Amino acid sequence: MDTRTNAILTVLLREYGFTHRSLADEVNRISGRIFGRPGAATDRDVRRWTSGSVRWPTGRYLLPLAEIFDRPPEAMGFVPRGRTSRLPVPPAPARPGQEEPVKRRAFLTASTAASVALVLRLEETPVRGRLTGADIDRVTAAVGRLDAHFTAIGGGALLTVATAYIGRLRDAVDGCIYGPRVEQALHRALSGLYSTAGWAAYDSGDGTTSRLHHAAALQSGILAKDGYAQARAWSDLSLQTRAEGRHREALTINRAALESRQVRQSPRIAALLHSRLAIGHARTGDHGACARSLLAAEKAHDRFDTTAPPPPWLRFLDAAEIAGLAAIAHRATGRLPDAERATAQALVLLGPSMHRSKAYYGVQLAELQLAQGDTASARTTAAKVVTTAVSSPRIAQRLATVHHKLAAA
């Protein structure tokens, strides 16, 4: 039996300051709240999780672990195995006089989507009555968990879940009572949720749905009067437009986003937009502008405030991602050796929980090696790409294309 060590969970224990015993105690406490009776996890169970001898804990322990570390099971290093990956439905206390919302039942139409929804606890948002700041805090945390899920393993079932949650939040907008601040916060949350749904659609290869969600994200950002949400939406729209082959339009959108005051005040957003602008310049053949934008992205990265945590949707943007985006720009200019070096650097710098990015840049490295005629290296690289913990049809298709070309080489 394969008992490969769960290095990701080991890192999480150290990062959060848990011992085996203290994590077991916390799992038992949260299990008691979710299921109505305390769990029976021991330090021995935790050692079995970290050693890899148990690769997918029971739902009674998996749900508390997902809450403790604020991420889906795959992003904690666990590996699903067929039906054992299905999570139980935790008992939820009924609100007096409130029927079970149709939106919640919609989460349970597919086992994978149901697992994601249950782990992220999206059904807790009320759709009737008065919304308070505490409700908004829970909504914001849920949207952040969705962002973390995408960053870790990709879109996949996330599109179904995010779309259902969009419907739930829109029901809350129409059916609840709230003040002006809560209203703005609701639209801000919707903007972020639409952005995540747009990326999930993109990962699934559905460009039309992706564009609709990104446009809705911009509209919600405007209603929220939130410049950061609008900058995010503009940035995502520029990428979607570029994916559709409209490179000059994408450049115009990207420039508009860079002109906002919020971007000038946020080095992280500026670094992302300058990196994407570099790719746009490369695709239109302006190599000098591409180089200037890459330099601007590096300078913005140097100004990152490492003492303050970034918003959930920007946690993926680090030195590894900056290198990976630079590689895409180099590739578009035809500088394949530079693109290969930058992609290899991104893979070295990526953290252990970044399954989607590791798979994405692993495929990109194999593509670059293949394009340069180095089939031996491409074959070795492609064989190392791990997609068991990744939910991205787009990445899977690219990897399949690489293997097909290698087989014909």
Side-chain angles (χ1 to χ4, degrees):
M1 174 176 155
D2 181 8
T3 56
R4 185 172 50 190
T5 300
N6 187 339
I8 297 174
L9 185 61
T10 301
V11 170
L12 287 172
L13 260 73
R14 186 163 57 248
E15 179 181 335
Y16 281 71
F18 281 115
T19 63
H20 291 162
R21 178 67 262 172
S22 64
L23 178 60
D25 290 342
E26 185 66 5
V27 165
N28 291 335
R29 183 187 69 79
I30 295 176
S31 182
R33 175 172 58 75
I34 294 176
F35 297 101
R37 64 186 190 282
T42 66
D43 53 350
R44 181 171 178 269
D45 290 304
V46 178
R47 283 194 295 273
R48 293 174 70 195
W49 301 337
T50 56
S51 70
S53 61
V54 173
R55 305 188 70 183
W56 190 265
T58 65
R60 192 176 178 191
Y61 296 147
L62 203 55
L63 284 170
L65 283 167
E67 181 170 330
I68 290 167
F69 295 118
D70 197 20
R71 64 197 67 205
E74 293 89 345
M76 293 183 284
F78 295 121
V79 180
R81 291 186 175 181
R83 290 187 176 273
T84 60
S85 67
R86 305 180 82 176
L87 297 178
V89 180
R95 300 173 186 269
Q98 181 181 355
E99 298 179 0
E100 182 187 22
V102 174
K103 299 297 181 186
R104 183 178 187 277
R105 290 197 297 272
F107 290 153
L108 308 180
T109 56
S111 61
T112 305
S115 297
V116 174
L118 290 170
V119 168
L120 300 180
R121 304 188 301 283
L122 304 185
E123 78 282 359
E124 295 179 358
T125 305
V127 294
R128 296 289 183 272
R130 175 170 288 279
L131 279 180
T132 66
D135 292 315
I136 293 301
D137 288 343
R138 284 192 291 271
V139 169
T140 302
V143 175
R145 288 192 294 273
L146 282 166
D147 285 328
H149 182 98
F150 176 84
T151 298
I153 67 172
L158 193 64
L159 179 57
T160 300
V161 177
T163 302
Y165 197 43
I166 285 169
R168 189 177 188 91
L169 285 189
R170 293 185 68 169
D171 286 346
V173 170
D174 289 334
C176 292
I177 301 170
Y178 43 77
R181 288 187 179 180
V182 169
E183 181 179 23
Q184 282 187 268
L186 268 175
H187 287 300
R188 184 183 305 115
L190 269 169
S191 181
L193 190 54
Y194 275 122
S195 290
T196 302
W199 272 98
Y202 174 84
D203 235 23
S204 300
D206 188 347
T208 300
T209 299
S210 178
R211 170 169 282 278
L212 289 173
H213 282 313
H214 289 317
L218 179 59
Q219 176 179 307
S220 293
I222 293 171
L223 291 175
K225 300 177 183 178
D226 188 308
Y228 292 104
Q230 293 171 45
R232 177 185 182 182
W234 279 121
S235 173
D236 292 341
L237 273 171
S238 72
L239 184 140
Q240 180 60 43
T241 303
R242 190 180 76 223
E244 295 168 359
R246 301 200 303 277
H247 301 301
R248 293 197 180 279
E249 181 182 341
L251 278 173
T252 302
I253 293 173
N254 214 318
R255 289 193 190 100
L258 277 166
E259 290 172 358
S260 70
R261 175 176 56 85
Q262 285 76 14
V263 170
R264 291 194 295 272
Q265 294 176 346
S266 172
R268 289 183 184 274
I269 300 178
L272 176 62
L273 288 171
H274 280 299
S275 295
R276 290 181 176 171
L277 188 63
I279 297 170
H281 285 308
R283 294 281 170 81
T284 57
D286 192 341
H287 296 188
C290 172
R292 289 191 294 274
S293 292
L294 287 176
L295 180 60
E298 291 177 4
K299 289 181 176 179
H301 176 262
D302 291 340
R303 300 199 309 272
F304 280 13
D305 181 3
T306 57
T307 63
W313 73 273
L314 268 177
R315 286 176 188 164
F316 75 98
L317 190 68
D318 53 13
E321 187 67 19
I322 297 293
L325 291 171
I328 297 172
H330 291 319
R331 183 180 187 177
T333 61
R335 298 168 61 183
L336 299 187
D338 289 341
E340 181 180 353
R341 282 191 291 272
T343 303
Q345 181 186 16
L347 285 166
V348 169
L349 294 174
L350 281 169
S353 66
M354 303 294 282
H355 301 294
R356 180 186 182 276
S357 293
K358 282 182 178 292
Y360 182 92
Y361 289 121
V363 172
Q364 179 169 291
L365 182 60
E367 290 171 339
L368 288 163
Q369 291 166 338
L370 195 56
Q372 296 174 85
D374 189 354
T375 55
S377 295
R379 188 170 281 110
T380 300
T381 299
K384 292 179 180 178
V385 176
V386 179
T387 59
T388 53
V390 177
S391 181
S392 172
R394 181 177 290 272
I395 294 174
Q397 181 57 51
R398 286 177 60 181
L399 181 59
T401 300
V402 167
H403 283 301
H404 178 73
K405 290 180 178 179
L406 286 170

